[in-house]
Amino acid sequence: MPKPLTIILFIAQVLILLLSAYRATGQGLPRPKLRVRVVLLDSRQAPLVGASVQLTSRTDSTERVNALTDTLGVATVLLHTDQPYALRATAMGMKPLNKGIRPTATQTTFRFSMETDVQSLNTVTVTAKKPLLRQQDDMTIVDPTPIADISTNAYDLMEKTPGLFLDQDGNVYISSATPATIYINGREQKLSAADLATLLKSLPPNSIERMEIMRTPSAKYDASGSGGAVNIVLKRGVKLGRTGSISGNMNQGRFGNQGLGISLNNSEGNRSSYLNINYNRRNSYEQLTTNRQLTGNRSISQTAYTRLPGDGLFVGYGLGYELTKKWSLNLDGRANYGYSNSFSENETQIRQRDGGALLTSNQNRLGNTGTAKSLTQEVSATYKIDSLGSQWTVDGSYNYTSNQTAQGFTTQFLQPAQATLIGDGSINTNRHFVTLQTDLRYRLRGQITLETGLKTAIQQFDSRTSYTTETDGIRLPDRFRTNAFDYNEAIHAGYLQGSKQLGSVLLKVGVRAENTNMNGHQRIPRDTTFQLHRTDLFPYIYLSRRVAKIAGFELRSYLVYRRSITRPTYDFLNPFARFIDQYLYETGNPALQPQFTQNLEANVSVDEMPILAVGRNYTQNLFTSVLYQDPVNSSVAYRTYANLGQNRETYFRLLAGIPPGGRFFFVVAAQYSHTDYEGFYEGKPLNFSRGSWRLFTYQQLKLDGRSTLTVNAFCLLNGQQQFYELGTFGNVNLSLNRQFMNRKLTATLVVSDPFYTNRTAFTLNQGNILADGTRQSDTRRVGLTVRYNFGLKRREERQNPFNIDALDRGSR
């Protein structure tokens, strides 16, 4: 794998050649195109969201460009340099705007204010369509609106998003075998995969404004995203007066789920606010079957069946203030409460492989009753320096999570017969997480943008576990399962990056420095303190160039490189043995070192729709979950983490589709990944190679003006999860959407996994471990979701009823 310096020099040489060719051939060619930003504001200088912009060339009236403004009131288009255009803008409740503009190399941003026109409120209709996926610089933007209508929560919505893959543990994957980092409103969620999945299952799908998929995040983002990053941007108060929705859903598999939610938005003058409340009741099951060979010509088989009922309450709220034309302040908060009461049964048998004679048989019953609470409060301030997009932001957030679980278990020893083992315990964890961040983006003349910022993230975590066991009426402390430890983490970071538009070429270069401090201290049963202090640099290079324009569509190429880090968490480092059952336990490794990944990806998009990508991930000092047999008792295995060596992953991704707007719309994506491991496992050389395919599709057919049929599906062929080889599995979801009551009431019938193909078979064949098994859950379901949207007029607009139907029709 080439070194970072070699890659940087290579890209610089390519850039010089491109610029030379551009300058040498620029004479006599048509004027190049610039990326032009049209900013539309209301009379209070607030952004106008969803305004329609049309630009017509004054020299060629057949050349027309249409666009919609985003949440910042910005519409981005490609226009010829130094050529006059007629601009016409329309927005709900505003008088039409007609202006003339002439983009130049020194002026690519045009800012206009539109006047209020109450009389036209009912006549303005937004007809442009938002694409489901679009490429914006180094990230893919997902508009979740069409998927939200067929989803019951944010977790369900992400499962249906083309290009994202969620495993049964709640990890999210983009284009790497390493899970992606999840952000909410630009802040990393320091949660386990299970806790994060619980949070997303409580988040209503219509509270998400967009998702930003970053396979190679820029230097502005944390360097801990070696598997990429997904930023979930939640809706805030929108400039549409008073609006809201009430929704209810239910679905039935073997067990049933139910949910009820309400969403309110209010905007008056320089203030906006929102409130989301969502309650859900979940019930499902999971069945896991495993077989593992033991020494002495024996094998162990286990079948575990788990019921997973639970209740969740989510509350999201926010206030926005425009203090002046330049200063704005936002307060956002989220609270989540969950209750679970799960129950599982695990049957274990050890047999002689020759003849199948039963040697050992026992049955475990385990019950967990727990509560999970989380509270997040965020505050941010933004100062708009100029009309070109320069701004300074300062924000801070505090997050508190608490999990309390009471556990009871019994083990019946059937063969050979022994006294029943009874036990109980409590598991209590608390986490405090504080982040402080400031970012400055400054646009200079000559199409130069500079970005810099500082960030501090401090985490404090404590865990207290206490167990007792009872045999023949004698109750004793269980020292094997009882432990207590504290963990503190502080990561301080700073970054600097700049971008420059060079004709049709956009170059962005940056670097991020992160100082990591970890300190773990186990108090019970013995002291196993571990510490880590280090500082690392993470370069970033992004190159984009307009290649051609074919049949009116712009073809653009991208090249991205970044170095990133994956740090072991406290669970990976804590060496205390955690009991799972009589034949399996897990333990951390305090000697575990972080792994570093270099990612290089080249991709192509057509009119901001990503269609082709080729990339390589090269990971050094790779750590992963490994399974060993206990040296004392071969019937027992333990799971831990170890640095094994290096990993090379090469992937190819292809996406095709029809843009939204017509009667039929579809997206089809395929990705092939080939992974090569080189290292040592159990003191012996480890060489492992495997290729896998991921297939996705999203298809939508408008049956008539009010009914829509949607199909989305995925399939994973020969998948890989760490050292586990996965069999082929997938999922198909069907939905029928129908609108009633002047399009304010929407009913959606959903059928999930009708063929029951979302079942996983796995094999592990590494070192002395040979195991296989299957895993399945309650995925085949039929459900109904009903949502009613309502809008109330502003006080200054009481002469005319408020109509949000036109916007709803145009944005879906």
Side-chain angles (χ1 to χ4, degrees):
M1 179 70 189
K3 301 296 184 181
L5 180 59
T6 304
I7 295 174
I8 294 173
L9 292 175
F10 171 74
I11 293 175
Q13 292 173 357
V14 172
L15 178 60
I16 292 172
L17 292 174
L18 290 174
L19 291 177
S20 300
Y22 169 76
R23 291 172 179 170
T25 60
Q27 303 296 328
L29 292 178
R31 295 185 180 93
K33 282 192 173 183
L34 295 175
R35 191 174 292 272
V36 178
R37 302 168 71 251
V38 177
V39 184
L40 298 180
L41 309 171
D42 62 15
S43 58
R44 296 183 177 86
Q45 299 303 297
L48 287 171
V49 182
S52 179
V53 177
Q54 183 181 82
L55 291 135
T56 305
S57 173
R58 293 189 184 276
T59 59
D60 182 4
S61 60
T62 62
E63 181 186 346
R64 292 183 180 180
V65 180
N66 296 283
L68 281 179
T69 57
D70 58 18
T71 55
L72 298 177
V74 179
T76 304
V77 294
L78 290 172
L79 301 178
H80 287 291
T81 305
D82 200 27
Q83 182 170 300
Y85 287 86
L87 181 149
R88 178 175 175 80
T90 56
M92 185 178 298
M94 297 292 167
K95 293 181 180 180
L97 175 72
N98 295 281
K99 294 287 183 179
I101 66 171
R102 182 188 291 269
T104 64
T106 57
Q107 185 177 8
T108 57
T109 299
F110 298 88
R111 185 187 184 98
F112 301 104
S113 296
M114 300 183 68
E115 298 180 8
T116 302
D117 184 9
V118 178
Q119 298 300 321
S120 65
L121 184 63
N122 291 325
T123 63
V124 178
T125 302
V126 180
T127 57
K129 305 291 182 180
K130 294 182 180 179
L132 177 65
L133 301 172
R134 62 185 176 91
Q135 189 72 26
Q136 180 176 308
D137 291 341
D138 50 3
M139 67 176 68
T140 301
I141 307 297
V142 179
D143 174 28
T145 304
I147 308 178
D149 289 337
I150 59 175
S151 305
T152 57
N153 53 60
Y155 186 90
D156 189 27
L157 186 148
M158 294 181 71
E159 284 189 308
K160 294 180 173 66
T161 301
L164 295 182
F165 170 70
L166 280 70
D167 66 16
Q168 292 173 312
D169 295 318
N171 294 299
V172 181
Y173 297 86
I174 304 176
S175 58
S176 171
T178 302
T181 303
I182 305 300
Y183 293 80
I184 295 180
N185 287 344
R187 297 174 176 86
E188 183 181 356
Q189 303 301 296
K190 294 280 188 176
L191 297 173
S192 66
D195 290 339
L196 184 59
T198 300
L199 173 63
L200 294 175
K201 288 176 181 178
S202 300
L203 187 67
N206 60 331
S207 66
I208 299 177
E209 180 177 311
R210 68 181 183 276
M211 286 192 297
E212 300 170 346
I213 301 177
M214 295 166 282
R215 293 173 178 84
T216 309
S218 72
K220 180 179 179 180
Y221 292 89
D222 296 333
S224 57
S226 60
V230 178
N231 182 27
I232 301 172
V233 181
L234 301 179
K235 290 180 180 178
R236 293 178 173 176
V238 293
K239 303 295 182 179
L240 293 176
R242 300 175 184 175
T243 64
S245 65
I246 299 175
S247 62
N249 65 80
M250 60 81 62
N251 57 71
Q252 185 68 41
R254 183 179 297 183
F255 305 102
N257 298 333
Q258 303 85 34
L260 182 66
I262 183 170
S263 175
L264 300 172
N265 290 277
N266 184 32
S267 174
E268 292 189 53
N270 62 346
R271 295 174 298 171
S272 63
S273 60
Y274 68 91
L275 175 66
N276 295 318
I277 302 175
N278 192 68
Y279 168 78
N280 64 83
R281 172 170 289 179
R282 303 184 303 272
N283 198 354
S284 63
Y285 77 90
E286 181 179 272
Q287 186 166 329
L288 177 66
T289 302
T290 59
N291 302 283
R292 178 165 53 91
Q293 294 186 11
L294 305 176
T295 58
N297 198 31
R298 297 172 302 154
S299 64
I300 180 173
S301 62
Q302 295 179 287
T303 301
Y305 176 83
T306 305
R307 280 277 304 274
L308 300 166
D311 296 82
L313 177 64
F314 172 85
V315 178
Y317 54 89
L319 298 172
Y321 297 91
E322 295 175 358
L323 305 177
T324 65
K325 291 183 179 181
K326 292 182 175 292
W327 279 102
S328 62
L329 179 68
N330 285 283
L331 301 173
D332 299 274
R334 297 182 296 277
N336 190 68
Y337 175 84
Y339 173 79
S340 60
N341 186 18
S342 63
F343 174 80
S344 65
E345 293 183 344
N346 185 358
E347 296 183 0
T348 302
Q349 293 183 341
I350 298 178
R351 294 180 177 272
Q352 198 73 29
R353 288 207 300 269
D354 295 338
L358 181 63
L359 304 176
T360 301
S361 175
N362 58 57
Q363 186 176 66
N364 294 280
R365 292 184 175 88
L366 175 68
N368 288 304
T369 301
T371 59
K373 295 171 286 187
S374 68
L375 177 65
T376 300
Q377 183 61 59
E378 304 169 353
V379 56
S380 63
T382 301
Y383 176 70
K384 298 178 181 177
I385 299 174
D386 53 37
S387 61
L388 299 177
S390 303
Q391 66 179 31
W392 175 45
T393 60
V394 179
D395 63 60
S397 68
Y398 167 74
N399 174 262
Y400 170 73
T401 59
S402 174
N403 291 277
Q404 298 177 335
T405 302
Q407 189 176 88
F409 62 91
T410 61
T411 301
Q412 290 182 294
F413 299 94
L414 305 177
Q415 183 173 335
Q418 299 180 28
T420 300
L421 175 67
I422 302 174
D424 58 73
S426 62
I427 306 171
N428 300 314
T429 62
N430 296 280
R431 187 183 71 101
H432 302 269
F433 184 49
V434 177
T435 62
L436 300 173
Q437 183 172 351
T438 179
D439 297 280
L440 174 64
R441 182 180 65 194
Y442 201 85
R443 296 187 181 273
L444 305 173
R445 292 189 176 184
Q447 295 182 307
I448 298 176
T449 301
L450 294 178
E451 296 178 89
T452 186
L454 299 171
K455 180 180 179 180
T456 290
I458 300 174
Q459 179 179 193
Q460 181 182 6
F461 182 89
D462 64 81
S463 175
R464 302 292 182 267
T465 302
S466 178
Y467 274 88
T468 59
T469 58
E470 180 180 332
T471 305
D472 291 332
I474 301 175
R475 192 174 181 86
L476 297 172
D478 189 340
R479 301 188 184 278
F480 187 79
R481 308 189 202 194
T482 299
N483 75 92
F485 69 91
D486 300 321
Y487 174 81
N488 297 296
E489 178 187 271
I491 300 176
H492 312 292
Y495 74 93
L496 175 65
Q497 69 182 17
S499 63
K500 166 69 174 174
Q501 186 76 45
L502 302 166
S504 61
V505 177
L506 175 63
L507 174 66
K508 184 188 296 185
V509 179
V511 64
R512 185 179 184 90
E514 292 193 352
N515 172 254
T516 303
N517 302 274
M518 295 180 176
N519 188 347
H521 183 76
Q522 184 168 286
R523 303 179 181 276
I524 299 174
R526 63 184 183 276
D527 186 3
T528 55
T529 299
F530 57 85
Q531 294 185 356
L532 176 66
H533 304 281
R534 63 181 301 140
T535 301
D536 301 284
L537 293 177
F538 304 93
Y540 169 82
I541 300 176
Y542 167 83
L543 185 65
S544 172
R545 185 178 187 274
R546 179 178 179 268
V547 178
K549 192 167 186 178
I550 303 174
F553 296 99
E554 184 192 52
L555 188 67
R556 197 169 188 88
S557 61
Y558 304 85
L559 183 65
V560 190
Y561 165 82
R562 195 193 185 191
R563 183 175 187 251
S564 57
I565 186 174
T566 300
R567 301 179 180 89
T569 64
Y570 44 83
D571 288 332
F572 295 178
L573 297 168
N574 180 31
F576 179 72
R578 292 175 287 277
F579 180 89
I580 298 178
D581 57 47
Q582 282 77 12
Y583 304 97
L584 179 64
Y585 67 94
E586 62 183 10
T587 178
N589 180 4
L592 201 61
Q593 296 296 311
Q595 68 185 36
F596 294 89
T597 300
Q598 298 181 69
N599 174 256
L600 181 64
E601 178 178 295
N603 57 68
V604 177
S605 69
V606 175
D607 267 15
E608 297 186 338
M609 184 175 181
I611 61 170
L612 176 66
V614 179
R616 164 68 72 91
N617 294 317
Y618 176 64
T619 302
Q620 294 175 296
N621 211 27
L622 172 73
F623 69 78
T624 187
S625 174
V626 290
L627 194 67
Y628 297 105
Q629 285 189 346
D630 189 274
V632 178
N633 185 353
S634 62
S635 299
V636 177
Y638 68 95
R639 189 164 54 216
T640 187
Y641 294 85
N643 295 104
L644 297 182
Q646 62 186 18
N647 170 35
R648 292 187 304 273
E649 182 183 22
T650 305
Y651 59 89
F652 169 84
R653 184 173 60 255
L654 181 65
L655 185 145
I658 298 177
R663 183 176 180 181
F664 179 62
F665 160 63
F666 80 91
V667 172
V668 177
Q671 177 170 309
Y672 175 78
S673 299
H674 188 85
T675 303
D676 293 289
Y677 287 95
E678 293 181 3
F680 288 87
Y681 183 69
E682 294 184 326
K684 300 178 182 178
L686 170 66
N687 295 300
F688 180 83
S689 180
R690 185 174 174 85
S692 64
W693 281 93
R694 297 179 190 174
L695 307 175
F696 306 88
T697 184
Y698 179 89
Q699 302 182 31
Q700 190 176 79
L701 174 65
K702 295 182 180 179
L703 302 178
D704 55 37
R706 295 177 180 269
S707 301
T708 304
L709 178 66
T710 302
V711 178
N712 69 281
F714 81 89
C715 181
L716 184 65
L717 290 81
N718 299 321
Q720 179 76 22
Q721 186 175 1
Q722 296 175 345
F723 287 143
Y724 287 90
E725 300 180 26
L726 307 180
T728 298
F729 66 98
N731 192 5
V732 177
N733 294 291
L734 308 171
S735 68
L736 179 62
N737 180 291
R738 176 73 178 177
Q739 294 178 323
F740 304 91
M741 298 176 61
N742 198 22
R743 302 181 184 270
K744 292 185 177 181
L745 179 66
T746 302
T748 306
L749 177 66
V750 180
V751 180
S752 300
D753 197 15
F755 308 109
Y756 205 28
T757 53
N758 198 7
R759 294 178 289 175
T760 308
F762 58 87
T763 302
L764 178 64
N765 186 7
Q766 298 295 336
N768 294 324
I769 301 295
L770 178 59
D772 62 80
T774 59
R775 186 176 181 180
Q776 63 187 56
S777 57
D778 200 3
T779 55
R780 182 160 55 185
R781 291 178 173 270
V782 177
L784 178 66
T785 299
V786 178
R787 179 176 292 115
Y788 178 76
N789 298 311
F790 56 86
L792 302 177
K793 57 189 177 183
R794 299 180 183 178
R795 283 180 289 185
E796 63 268 26
E797 297 170 352
R798 287 176 180 170
Q799 298 301 319
N800 290 315
F802 186 80
N803 177 17
I804 66 169
D805 296 332
L807 181 60
D808 285 345
R809 287 194 297 269
S811 62
R812 293 180 184 272

